[in-house]
Amino acid sequence: MAAGRPLLCLAAVALAFLVSSSEAWRLATPPPLPVLPIPSAAQLKWQQREVIMFFHFGMNTFTDSEWGTGTEDPSLFRPAGLNATQWMDAARAAGASLAILVAKHHDGFCLWPSAYTAHSVRASPWLGGHGDVVAEFVGAASARGVDAGIYLSPWDRHDEQYGKEVAYNEYYEAQLHELLTGSVSQYGSVSEIWFDGAKGKNATNMTYHFQEWFQTVKQLQRSINIFSDDGPDVRWVGDEKGFAGTTCWSTVNRSMITIGEAGIEKYLNEGDQRGSDWVPPECDVSIRPGRFWHKNETAKPLSQLLEIYYNSVGRNCVLLLNAPPNSTGLVEDADVARLREFGEAIATIFGTDLAAGSSARASSERGGRRRGGFAARNVLDGRDDTYWAPTAEDGRRNGYWIELRRPPASAAFNVVRIQEHVALGQRVERHEVYVDGAPVANGTTVGHKRLHRLPRAVAGRTVRIWITAAPRGPPLLSAVGLHHDPFVAEDAM
């Protein structure tokens, strides 16, 4: 009997370990249910980019135009020093991880040797007619670690089939295949493709088969994001100033949007709280007055670019910043310098989080201190996959709150950053910010990121975010950050 006791003890220890382990697993708190609709993995990756680049380059570059006529002679296209690697260096300097090329604008001139038209680089003197700007672009992007995107204008002022519904839609589909399957050159993966409904008032009437195009694109490149007025993945923000609405939902009802139709700008700018489709907005704006390069134009000042950043990225959007290469085929040195200045300014402002070292508490915490809980401190860990979640019962009448308590003698801040865990849906409808009990900022939606610039820097010990109760469910916050912006004068924000 004595010899059997060690075995019995070992069995008891093993049983106790298994019981305690199973109890620990049972005590883990599951995440809350998502609030539909929710983003796809590709949409989440796109949102986290925050700043991306556009390069408008083509026949208009050589004719000093914004919208060409389609009658231009291909011999005009002769960039003597085209260097797409320089473009990508400019993009990286601005902090961009994705760059989109205008492969064909409204004049119909194609920057790749399309088999379906003679109006392309093949007919130009550039590289003896053997050049391919798209190939140069995607090759340089890959070499610099930048993802590539394409804009293919539906409006084509050159092609004689334009206006013939079946013939032109077949032509356009064929060019989509060329660009997305690499039948002309190995273009590889494309992360975003741009469609729009832009055309002149007196343009030939034309019915675009957008739905056929969208399905073709998804068939050819499954993880691509499609941009248009109504997505399906990314929507136009409704203006070309780079500003989203002060209220900005990632959700819309796509059935309410017709691509190219006037009068939908406000709906696109603000989104729809009751929208059934997740189609977040992209803010497109050029660093110069025009989209294409014009010798007499210069880049916007840093202060204006930062204003655009706060009103795009800081309002739940991705900023698409256009930098037009010149007729030599290079981004102007002054423009590159401005892009670098912009990227460095963003890094200066947001590279240091003045909330670091703070403690956090909240109106409640889902799961309490159990393993797998959703503690208030999660907003300070710098991770996208962790977040604070209150209990379902908390705040239904008086709202929810989360509070940071900063260490003594903490530095002053003038920017408050709030981020939702949008992987489970967008929820916040209204919020307020208090520093040491005094209100300093308020707003409606948050989404991926909301940035509040304060009228003056404050060095308070406690920062509280109050969120109103909402039918979309309890808020899920992944981050609360505090920053100092040295590039703006006090009371100018």
Side-chain angles (χ1 to χ4, degrees):
M1 288 293 291
R5 286 177 182 170
L7 292 175
L8 288 172
C9 289
L10 285 172
V13 169
L15 180 61
F17 175 77
L18 289 172
V19 170
S20 63
S21 297
S22 64
E23 286 178 349
W25 281 111
R26 284 198 301 271
L27 290 174
T29 304
L33 289 171
V35 172
L36 299 180
I38 59 174
S40 68
Q43 287 173 318
L44 279 174
K45 181 179 180 181
W46 167 87
Q47 186 92 58
Q48 290 163 358
R49 295 180 188 278
E50 298 191 348
V51 177
I52 60 179
M53 291 292 298
F54 218 163
F55 290 98
H56 276 65
F57 181 70
M59 189 59 71
N60 294 340
T61 308
F62 299 85
T63 61
D64 198 28
S65 303
E66 284 292 301
W67 282 11
T69 64
T71 61
E72 296 85 358
D73 190 326
S75 66
L76 294 172
F77 186 83
R78 49 175 72 227
L82 190 148
N83 184 347
T85 298
Q86 188 247 11
W87 305 2
M88 296 306 151
D89 289 340
R92 286 175 58 89
S97 60
L98 167 65
I100 301 173
L101 173 69
V102 175
K104 182 188 79 169
H105 205 248
H106 311 323
D107 54 79
F109 184 76
C110 298
L111 296 190
W112 78 102
S114 174
Y116 298 98
T117 180
H119 199 54
S120 78
V121 288
R122 182 184 282 122
S124 79
W126 178 57
L127 298 182
H130 298 291
D132 185 338
V133 180
V134 177
E136 300 253 1
F137 183 84
V138 298
S142 177
R144 286 295 190 263
V146 177
D147 291 330
I150 295 290
Y151 167 56
L152 185 67
S153 171
W155 186 28
D156 191 320
R157 304 185 75 178
H158 174 83
D159 194 82
E160 62 183 14
Q161 299 171 100
Y162 190 85
K164 301 172 183 176
E165 182 176 342
V166 174
Y168 181 73
N169 278 283
E170 289 178 344
Y171 168 74
Y172 192 93
E173 279 252 354
Q175 292 196 323
L176 285 175
H177 275 267
E178 286 185 320
L179 292 168
L180 299 179
T181 63
S183 58
V184 175
S185 180
Q186 295 303 311
Y187 298 138
S189 175
V190 176
S191 294
E192 182 172 339
I193 187 163
W194 245 66
F195 297 96
D196 64 16
K199 60 182 178 181
K201 292 181 180 178
N202 299 318
T204 302
N205 187 46
M206 179 71 214
T207 300
Y208 302 134
H209 288 195
F210 282 113
Q211 298 311 314
E212 286 91 332
W213 298 351
F214 293 168
Q215 291 196 36
T216 295
V217 166
K218 289 292 187 179
Q219 182 188 74
L220 298 177
Q221 300 230 10
R222 197 168 47 176
S223 62
I224 197 170
N225 281 318
I226 298 174
F227 169 99
S228 78
D229 288 355
D230 81 328
D233 302 305
V234 179
R235 77 177 191 263
W236 181 44
V237 77
D239 65 49
E240 295 183 349
K241 300 182 301 182
F243 283 24
T246 53
T247 294
C248 188
W249 292 96
S250 292
T251 50
V252 293
N253 280 313
R254 292 185 62 210
S255 61
M256 297 178 63
I257 302 169
T258 299
I259 299 174
E261 183 179 84
I264 60 173
E265 291 82 4
K266 187 175 187 294
Y267 186 75
L268 295 174
N269 197 245
E270 297 182 354
D272 189 340
Q273 178 181 349
R274 296 175 179 82
S276 58
D277 304 295
W278 187 275
V279 189
E282 188 169 272
C283 291
D284 59 308
V285 65
S286 185
I287 66 167
R288 288 168 164 243
R291 297 228 170 215
F292 285 89
W293 175 80
H294 304 286
K295 188 176 182 179
N296 62 343
E297 293 182 353
T298 57
K300 293 175 172 67
L302 174 64
S303 59
Q304 190 173 354
L305 292 180
L306 288 175
E307 180 76 9
I308 290 169
Y309 179 88
Y310 280 108
N311 288 293
S312 55
V313 176
R315 292 181 179 175
N316 188 39
C317 290
V318 166
L319 172 58
L320 175 57
L321 195 57
N322 178 65
N326 61 25
S327 55
T328 302
L330 298 171
V331 179
E332 293 275 2
D333 289 344
D335 293 359
V336 174
R338 183 54 43 79
L339 291 169
R340 181 174 294 108
E341 184 183 27
F342 170 72
E344 290 173 350
I346 297 301
T348 296
I349 298 167
F350 298 102
T352 300
D353 187 353
L354 299 176
S358 300
S359 60
R361 66 190 188 102
S363 51
S364 67
E365 295 176 341
R366 179 182 175 90
R369 297 186 177 278
R370 292 184 293 175
R371 193 169 68 83
F374 302 90
R377 64 177 178 273
N378 290 350
V379 302
L380 298 168
D381 64 10
R383 295 171 54 181
D384 293 325
D385 60 339
T386 62
Y387 50 94
W388 163 63
T391 63
E393 298 77 19
D394 173 36
R396 285 181 174 169
R397 180 170 299 177
N398 298 316
Y400 309 86
W401 57 265
I402 184 169
E403 183 179 275
L404 308 185
R405 186 163 185 82
R406 308 173 71 212
S410 293
F413 61 91
N414 58 8
V415 178
V416 178
R417 171 175 53 90
I418 311 170
Q419 296 184 241
E420 284 189 76
H421 184 70
V422 294
L424 293 178
Q426 188 176 353
R427 300 161 182 251
V428 177
E429 295 180 18
R430 184 169 295 278
H431 64 283
E432 297 173 3
V433 183
Y434 295 84
V435 176
D436 290 342
V440 297
N442 63 78
T444 53
T445 52
V446 172
H448 169 71
K449 182 173 286 187
R450 185 64 182 259
L451 298 174
H452 288 291
R453 290 184 293 174
L454 309 184
R456 61 189 60 84
V458 293
R461 287 289 306 278
T462 62
V463 179
R464 175 174 287 202
I465 312 297
W466 179 86
I467 300 168
T468 186
R472 293 185 66 81
L476 308 179
L477 297 190
S478 62
V480 176
L482 308 173
H483 308 276
H484 184 258
D485 182 347
F487 299 98
V488 65
E490 295 287 286
D491 295 311
M493 291 181 281

